[in-house]
Amino acid sequence: MASTVISDKRPGYGQLLRTPGALSFLLPGFAARQPFAMLTIGIVLLVQHTTGSFGSAGSVAAVTGVSMALFAPQSGKLADRFGQRAVLVPGVLVHTASVSLLVVLALTGAPLWALFLAAVPAGASVPQVGPMVRARWAAKLDGTPLMPTAAAFESVTDEFTFVVGPVLATALCTGVHPAAGLIAEAALTLVGGLFFAAQRATQPAHGLSAAAGHLGGEPRRSALSVPGVRVLVVAFLGIGTVFGGMQVSLTAFTEEIGNPGANGLLYGIFAAGNMLAGIAMGAVAWKTGPRRRLIMGYAGLTIAASLLWTTHSVLLLAALGLVVGLCIAPALITGYTIVETLIPASARTEAFTWLTGAVALGQAAAVTVAGRLADAHGASTGFLVPMAGTALALTTILALRSRLKPHEASRVAARGIGHRVPVTVD
C-alpha cells in the first residue's frame, strides 16, 4: 500500500546548508571523498598503459575494490567506537603511502603480483568520508524533517564526486601523464582527509556507554545481522557493477574507436545524469514509500543497463549513459533512506560503510570481468556486466522485499537510543 507523507513540503537545500556547523565538515569532506571516484579509473588507466592489457588493469583495480569492501565496515565500526578522527588520520597516511608505492611499481615495470600486493593496503585504507559525513548529518538532524533532505544532498554530492573524480583522473592521465591521476588522488586524500579529521566539533559521539551499546539487555550486533541491510548490500553490489562496467567499457570503447579523449566526456555525461536525478529526488515530497521507490527505480536501472551493449556510436552511448545515470541516484538515495529505518544510531557509520563497501565490491568485480571481456571480445561485451549485475540484484530485491520493512521491535530499539524512523515504508 502506498504511504502518505506527513508533510506536503520538504525543507530545501538552502535550509539544510544553514545548519550550524554544516559547512565546516562539508567542504573538507567534499575534497576528501574525491579519491573514492578517482582510484579505480586511475589504476585502470595507469596499469593499462604500462601493461597494455585491460584485463590486468581491471584485476589490479579489483583487488583494490575487494580490499576496500572488506575493510570499510571494520573502519566504520572503529569510527563508531573510537571516533572518526582516530580512524581517519592513520588511514589517510597509509593510503597516501600505498598509492605512491603502487605508482612507483607500475612505472618501473614491476610484476603483476607486486601490483596486487600494493593494491591491498591502497584499497583497505580508502577513507570512508561519505559514510562519516552521513553520520554527522544524522547526529545533527536525527528525527527532524531535514533528514531526508540531507540524505538526498549526500547522494547528490556523491554523484557530483563521480562526475568530477573520473573526469579529472582521466584528463590528468591522458593529458599530463598516465600516473598523474593516482598522484592527484593521493594528494587529495592526504590534504582533504586531514582537514576533515580536524573538524572535531561536528564529530558524532563515540565510545557509547554500556547502556547505549546494548538494546534490551542484549549485546550490540553488527549492522549486517539485520536482514534488510543484507538485501540492500546486494542492491548496492548491483549499482557497483554499473560504475565498474561503465568505467572499463567506456575506456575500451573510446580506445577501440581511436578517440580516447572522449572517455572522460562520456563518463561525465553518465555521472551528470546521476547527479541531476539526485537533485530532483531531494526536491520532491514523495507520495510513495521508499521500498516501492527502490523497486521502481531499480527496475528502470536494470532496463537501461541492459541496452548498453547494443550501442555502437558515441552519440547513442552518451544518450543511453545519461539515462542509466538518471536511474542510479533514485536507487542509491532510497537505499540510504531505508537503511536509516533498519538500524540503531550506534551502528550508523558501520551500516553506511557496508553499503559503500558493497558498491566498491561490485565495482571491483565489474572492472575485472568487463576488462577481460573487452580484451577477448571487444568493448561492447564489457557492457554485459552492468546488465547481469543489476538483473541479479533486482531479482533479489523483489524476492526479499519484505525484509526491507522494519519490524516494530526495530523501531522501538532505534527510538530508545535517539534514532527516529519514518512511520511508513511501503
Side-chain angles (χ1 to χ4, degrees), residues 2 60 63 74 81 93 182 208 223 226 302 308 314-315 394 404:
V60 176
V63 170
Q74 311 313 315
R81 183 174 180 182
L93 297 176
L182 282 183
L208 297 176
V226 179
T302 303
L308 286 169
V314 172
L315 185 60
L394 177 61
L404 297 176

Side-chain angles (χ1 to χ4, degrees), residues 179-274:
L182 282 183
I183 292 172
E185 189 270 353
L188 280 172
T189 297
L190 182 63
V191 176
L194 292 179
F195 269 105
F196 181 78
Q199 310 308 311
R200 299 187 185 186
T202 55
Q203 180 176 261
H206 61 276
L208 297 176
S209 66
H214 292 69
L215 302 179
E218 296 183 3
R220 176 181 169 227
R221 298 179 301 166
S222 166
L224 199 61
S225 66
V226 179
V229 174
R230 297 197 293 269
V231 176
L232 291 174
V233 165
V234 174
F236 278 56
L237 278 168
I239 292 172
T241 66
V242 179
F243 285 125
M246 290 290 281
Q247 285 181 348
V248 171
S249 300
L250 288 176
T251 302
F253 175 80
T254 54
E255 291 274 355
E256 194 171 84
I257 64 172
N259 187 13
N263 178 32
L265 175 63
L266 287 174
Y267 195 87
I269 291 172
F270 156 70
N274 207 343

Side-chain angles (χ1 to χ4, degrees), residues 9-396:
K9 188 176 180 181
R10 169 174 288 182
Y13 292 119
Q15 183 178 344
L16 178 73
L17 294 176
R18 288 193 294 272
T19 301
L23 292 179
S24 69
F25 66 83
L26 284 181
L27 296 178
F30 178 75
R33 71 209 302 176
Q34 292 302 317
F36 180 79
M38 298 175 67
L39 185 60
T40 299
I41 190 65
I43 291 174
V44 168
L45 292 173
L46 174 60
V47 178
Q48 194 276 331
H49 171 79
T50 57
T51 66
S53 168
F54 281 107
S56 296
S59 296
V60 176
V63 170
T64 305
V66 171
S67 180
M68 189 195 112
L70 294 176
F71 282 89
Q74 311 313 315
S75 171
K77 283 184 181 180
L78 292 172
D80 283 330
R81 183 174 180 182
F82 299 108
Q84 295 182 359
R85 186 175 186 276
V87 175
L88 266 176
V89 173
V92 161
L93 297 176
V94 171
H95 184 75
T96 304
S98 301
V99 172
S100 300
L101 176 61
L102 182 58
V103 169
V104 171
L105 290 173
L107 292 178
T108 56
L112 197 58
W113 62 264
L115 300 182
F116 288 150
L117 288 180
V120 173
S125 57
V126 171
Q128 299 302 310
V129 176
M132 289 181 179
V133 171
R134 282 184 164 90
R136 294 189 185 214
W137 279 125
K140 277 186 165 293
L141 304 174
D142 203 7
T144 73
L146 277 171
M147 196 57 223
T149 307
F153 179 83
E154 280 309 301
S155 292
V156 171
T157 304
D158 282 339
E159 307 326 322
F160 189 62
T161 297
F162 277 100
V163 173
V164 175
V167 173
L168 176 60
T170 301
L172 290 171
C173 289
T174 57
V176 180
H177 189 277
L182 282 183
I183 292 172
E185 189 270 353
L188 280 172
T189 297
L190 182 63
V191 176
L194 292 179
F195 269 105
F196 181 78
Q199 310 308 311
R200 299 187 185 186
T202 55
Q203 180 176 261
H206 61 276
L208 297 176
S209 66
H214 292 69
L215 302 179
E218 296 183 3
R220 176 181 169 227
R221 298 179 301 166
S222 166
L224 199 61
S225 66
V226 179
V229 174
R230 297 197 293 269
V231 176
L232 291 174
V233 165
V234 174
F236 278 56
L237 278 168
I239 292 172
T241 66
V242 179
F243 285 125
M246 290 290 281
Q247 285 181 348
V248 171
S249 300
L250 288 176
T251 302
F253 175 80
T254 54
E255 291 274 355
E256 194 171 84
I257 64 172
N259 187 13
N263 178 32
L265 175 63
L266 287 174
Y267 195 87
I269 291 172
F270 156 70
N274 207 343
M275 182 182 66
L276 291 173
I279 293 172
M281 286 285 293
V284 174
W286 295 94
K287 300 294 184 181
T288 56
R291 188 171 61 163
R292 180 171 293 184
R293 295 203 307 271
L294 178 65
I295 293 172
M296 294 172 61
Y298 220 98
L301 175 61
T302 303
I303 293 170
S306 298
L307 297 175
L308 286 169
W309 70 278
T310 65
T311 307
H312 301 286
S313 77
V314 172
L315 185 60
L316 289 177
L317 190 55
L320 190 54
L322 178 66
V323 174
V324 173
L326 288 169
C327 294
I328 285 182
L332 275 174
I333 292 172
T334 309
Y336 279 117
T337 300
I338 292 174
V339 82
E340 277 281 315
T341 71
L342 300 174
I343 57 163
S346 60
R348 277 186 187 131
T349 308
E350 182 200 348
F352 292 146
T353 50
W354 274 114
L355 299 187
T356 304
V359 173
L361 186 59
Q363 187 175 9
V367 295
T368 302
V369 177
R372 298 199 177 279
L373 286 173
D375 277 344
H377 306 290
S380 62
T381 57
F383 290 117
L384 294 173
V385 176
M387 178 182 76
T390 53
L392 290 172
L394 177 61
T395 301
T396 302

